[in-house]
Amino acid sequence: MNRQDQHGSRRTGHRSWRTRLLAAAGAGALLLASGTLAPSAAAKDDGGDGGDKVLTVAVAQSVDSLSPFLAVRLLSTSIHRLTYEYLTNYDPKDNHVIPGLATEWKSSPDKLTWTYTIRSDSKWSDGQQATAEDAAWTFNKMMTDPGAATANGSFVGNFAKVTAPSPTRLVIRLKKPQATMTALDVPIVPKHVWEKVDDFSKFNNDKQFPIVGNGPFVLTDYKPDSYVRLKANKDFWRGAPKFDELVFRYYKDQDAAVAALRKGEVSFVAGSPSLTPAQADSLKDEENIHVNDAPGRRFYALATNPGARAKDGTKFGDGDPSLLDQRVRNALFMAVDRKAIVDKVFQGHAVEGAGYIPPRFSSYFFEPSADQKLAYDPEAAAKLLDEAGYRTNADGKRLGKDGKPLNYRVLCHATDPNDKAVGKYLQEWWGELGISLTLDCLDNVTDPWLAGDYDLAFDGWSVNPDPDFVLSIHTCDALPATPKDTGATDNFICDKTYDELYAQQLVEYDAGKRAEIVKRMQSRLYDTGYMNVMAYPNAVEAYRTDQIKSITTMPSDAGNIYGQDGYWSWWSAVPAGSGDSGGSSSSTGTVIGIAAGAVVLVGLGVLFAVRRRASADDRE
């Protein structure tokens, strides 16, 4: 899972459905490392000539696919933000919507027709002009080909018709109003390249390089489980990046990545998805190393298997039947000390969790009322289990309805130290309730997750400025069509009350009213107990100041560098020793502010962005 987006792209992340075609993604599984200006020796190791300015990023996450139609992990979607333009983007200063491939957009009075003006100064890296026809073809392909709708199909599910009356005019007709039309986080691809693809469900876009795009970087090379290489697009309409090359290099061992940072072999370390408190503390006093520790855009949760099922009603998987009882789920979560997790596992580099939306997105942030809160109370948890009929035997073991002791299997990511640390606390806390717990720590949690072969699982997503995606993955419509299919669902939740609220927020254009509905949706998820959001981790990452002179965080005052809603960090990064003073947060904000002046929204307030969902290992 994309815990990136799982825990980033654990599932970093809010976006289109988690329809993870990992079978197709398998061939493209690759881990990237986000880095900075590497020494010439390192550049040569990557195939460079030693003369270019290379930014090497060390990361501990695999790419599920280089196809923007299949990719859901944070790492993969971050690459696509660098290589393809979206209709709109987000200002790194405060996340408001700004122009991307589209310079202006407006809605008809009935809110059913949206017209976008496509910029005339964006070219594909093979020299051809990017036009409205490319955007129309991208959306139409997703509307008509299930394979092409794998990652982002939710964005077009309400589209009735998409046309390109001219090279600079895109028209989208909706079936009903849709509040995410300025937040269509879909990479627009070149029609003349992608119309040659036969099977979108299997095409990973990882055989021929360079890959044609129109973003700030061009993807030039890729080696699974090793690296992804990109070169600066000198013709990018917003201006060329300051670094000549950007390399994401995979380190399975996070301590090894930190060691590489110390040696100057990489310029940036993101972690999986963040550095551990011990790693961050060990780097704070290092010469020429800066640790960025800021409020993040992720949540860290424990997901319960609610009984895996498909849209056709077929049940599958082997989740423990006791977890179908809301009283049991609530009791388990009342036996989780969130404060201890924040203090002892994250060592203060996080805040206690509750709803899906981190405090960073204040308008959507949900906090349970005093009488609603499932506070840490082991005694009340034990009483609730007794009331549900799950009592202890003479040995203090809590028994299931079959008379056997309860022993829950918890899926955990082998590469995530937080999972293992929290898992040990759960074994202690739930053990006091008479419940055993087995940690199933795997390199690949996706297969058992999709098969429904788990009781609980560590989960997490990166949330975008518009939370539609992370909310959509819990609708009945996100379930797989049949047990053999892959759906967009996160963990098979299907609740009619929740679905009704989801439909209401999607058509609500009033920002304040929509925010209240989103909070009610989070409240419903909280009460049903299918998801226990334990914490909102900080973005903890580090880079070498002798290799990177300046770089933009998002938001600019206190935000993350890796996994942004945009390409600002790597596009803005200035090499150390460079006379160029551009690329800082302030200069980037100026460029964006000028561009934003062209935006036209008719009859609507500024709408925020919808992000896409990531896979179960790493979601965006």
Side-chain angles (χ1 to χ4, degrees):
M1 314 181 158
N2 185 346
R3 261 176 74 179
Q4 173 197 359
D5 278 127
Q6 194 191 2
H7 277 17
S9 187
R10 265 170 166 176
R11 307 168 181 217
T12 304
H14 120 288
R15 351 184 298 318
S16 175
W17 311 155
R18 132 179 194 179
T19 308
R20 323 162 179 175
L21 252 198
L22 290 196
L30 127 89
L31 293 152
L32 306 191
S34 78
T36 59
L37 171 68
S40 58
K44 289 180 180 178
D45 289 343
D46 288 329
D49 59 11
D52 290 339
K53 297 173 183 177
V54 182
L55 178 63
T56 303
V57 178
V59 296
Q61 183 185 61
S62 65
V63 167
D64 50 346
S65 178
L66 290 181
S67 165
F69 294 99
L70 300 179
V72 294
R73 295 184 181 176
L74 178 61
L75 185 57
S76 310
T77 57
S78 295
I79 293 172
H80 291 138
R81 281 196 172 277
L82 295 169
T83 53
Y84 299 101
E85 276 281 40
Y86 295 48
L87 288 182
T88 58
N89 209 323
Y90 311 110
D91 191 312
K93 181 175 178 61
D94 58 9
N95 293 317
H96 77 264
V97 178
I98 60 172
L101 184 60
T103 59
E104 298 178 353
W105 47 88
K106 61 181 179 180
S107 168
S108 59
D110 65 1
K111 303 178 183 179
L112 292 177
T113 300
W114 283 76
T115 302
Y116 301 80
T117 300
I118 302 301
R119 65 176 58 257
S120 59
D121 56 351
S122 177
K123 289 187 176 181
W124 299 110
S125 53
D126 62 2
Q128 293 200 36
Q129 181 71 34
T131 70
E133 180 60 29
D134 294 305
W137 184 89
T138 299
F139 291 129
N140 278 305
K141 176 56 66 173
M142 293 166 58
M143 293 164 62
T144 58
D145 187 329
T150 297
N152 297 308
S154 62
F155 287 115
V156 302
N158 183 43
F159 287 12
K161 186 177 182 181
V162 182
T163 59
S166 75
T168 59
R169 187 164 173 250
L170 174 73
V171 179
I172 300 177
R173 179 72 179 173
L174 303 174
K175 300 173 185 175
K176 57 185 177 181
Q178 181 170 323
T180 61
M181 294 305 289
T182 59
L184 298 175
D185 285 350
V186 176
I188 303 302
V189 303
K191 173 185 176 182
H192 65 280
V193 173
W194 284 84
E195 64 184 355
K196 302 173 185 176
V197 175
D198 293 327
D199 190 342
F200 279 76
S201 69
K202 297 180 179 179
F203 181 71
N204 276 309
N205 198 31
D206 58 1
K207 301 303 181 185
Q208 294 183 342
F209 299 94
I211 293 174
V212 178
N214 62 341
F217 289 89
V218 177
L219 209 165
T220 59
D221 195 12
Y222 157 69
K223 183 177 180 181
D225 299 335
S226 183
Y227 64 84
V228 174
R229 175 182 296 282
L230 305 98
K231 286 191 175 183
N233 181 358
K234 302 299 182 181
D235 297 321
F236 183 52
W237 68 268
R238 201 184 289 273
K242 310 300 187 300
F243 278 91
D244 299 301
E245 289 189 350
L246 174 62
V247 178
F248 291 97
R249 180 172 296 203
Y250 167 61
Y251 286 84
K252 185 174 183 179
D253 183 274
Q254 190 160 299
D255 286 331
V258 171
L261 181 75
R262 283 196 175 93
K263 296 175 184 177
E265 295 173 352
V266 302
S267 305
F268 181 97
V269 173
S272 59
S274 294
L275 297 179
T276 66
Q279 290 167 338
D281 290 343
S282 72
L283 292 172
K284 283 183 177 178
D285 295 326
E286 288 279 338
E287 185 178 3
N288 297 323
I289 291 179
H290 173 73
V291 175
N292 183 50
D293 186 351
R297 54 183 283 242
R298 303 188 55 75
F299 63 78
Y300 180 77
L302 193 62
T304 303
N305 185 341
R309 57 171 162 163
K311 288 181 184 178
D312 64 6
T314 304
K315 297 180 180 180
F316 56 96
D318 61 1
D320 194 295
S322 65
L323 295 172
L324 299 179
D325 190 325
Q326 180 177 327
R327 293 170 296 180
V328 173
R329 298 192 299 268
N330 287 347
L332 291 177
F333 297 157
M334 292 167 66
V336 173
D337 189 343
R338 291 173 173 81
K339 185 177 187 303
I341 290 174
V342 169
D343 293 343
K344 297 180 180 179
V345 176
F346 291 99
Q347 296 182 26
H349 299 275
V351 295
E352 291 183 45
Y356 259 45
I357 316 301
R360 171 165 157 177
F361 305 107
S362 58
S363 61
Y364 295 112
F365 180 57
F366 159 79
E367 291 184 283
S369 60
D371 59 349
Q372 178 186 21
K373 188 174 182 180
L374 297 173
Y376 178 57
D377 191 340
E379 292 184 4
K383 183 178 179 180
L384 193 56
L385 288 170
D386 289 340
E387 294 175 354
Y390 295 90
R391 299 182 176 274
T392 56
N393 62 14
D395 296 326
K397 300 294 184 182
R398 187 78 54 175
L399 303 180
K401 295 300 176 66
D402 58 2
K404 298 179 180 179
L406 292 177
N407 180 15
Y408 294 136
R409 301 155 301 156
V410 179
L411 275 179
C412 125
H413 298 73
T415 57
D416 193 327
N418 291 330
D419 285 6
K420 297 175 183 177
V422 174
K424 290 181 179 179
Y425 280 108
L426 293 178
Q427 288 175 326
E428 175 186 341
W429 295 329
W430 292 356
E432 295 175 356
L433 296 176
I435 297 174
S436 299
L437 181 154
T438 300
L439 286 178
D440 194 6
C441 296
L442 306 172
D443 288 330
N444 172 21
V445 301
T446 299
D447 290 344
W449 194 306
L450 294 179
D453 294 335
Y454 65 97
D455 297 323
L456 299 107
F458 288 104
D459 195 3
W461 287 84
S462 292
V463 179
N464 295 73
D466 186 299
D468 181 82
F469 176 76
V470 292
L471 299 173
S472 69
I473 57 180
H474 296 310
T475 60
C476 299
D477 191 54
L479 294 173
T482 72
K484 295 181 179 180
D485 296 310
T486 301
T489 184
D490 180 33
N491 64 319
F492 306 103
I493 294 174
C494 178
D495 178 79
K496 296 300 183 182
T497 299
Y498 179 88
D499 277 18
E500 291 172 0
L501 291 170
Y502 177 78
Q504 291 176 29
Q505 67 82 32
L506 191 59
V507 300
E508 180 56 70
Y509 281 74
D510 182 280
K513 293 180 180 179
R514 183 174 180 230
E516 287 305 311
I517 298 173
V518 168
K519 290 178 183 179
R520 289 169 60 194
M521 294 175 67
Q522 295 178 79
S523 178
R524 178 65 181 175
L525 284 177
Y526 185 89
D527 290 341
T528 57
Y530 291 121
M531 294 290 293
N532 176 17
V533 178
M534 297 178 286
Y536 307 113
N538 285 4
V540 185
E541 48 204 358
Y543 65 88
R544 293 196 63 91
T545 56
D546 57 349
Q547 297 182 13
I548 300 178
K549 181 178 181 180
S550 64
I551 194 166
T552 296
T553 61
M554 185 175 187
S556 55
D557 289 343
N560 55 295
I561 295 173
Y562 177 74
Q564 295 181 355
D565 296 299
Y567 42 65
W568 312 114
S569 55
W570 313 127
W571 172 75
S572 72
V574 176
S578 168
D580 192 336
S581 60
S584 67
S585 299
S586 58
S587 63
T588 301
T590 300
V591 172
I592 295 170
I594 294 172
V599 178
V600 176
L601 290 176
V602 177
L604 303 173
V606 175
L607 298 176
F608 293 94
V610 176
R611 240 259 80 130
R612 333 169 337 136
R613 69 123 265 219
S615 88
D617 280 336
D618 309 313
R619 325 176 182 182
E620 199 219 355

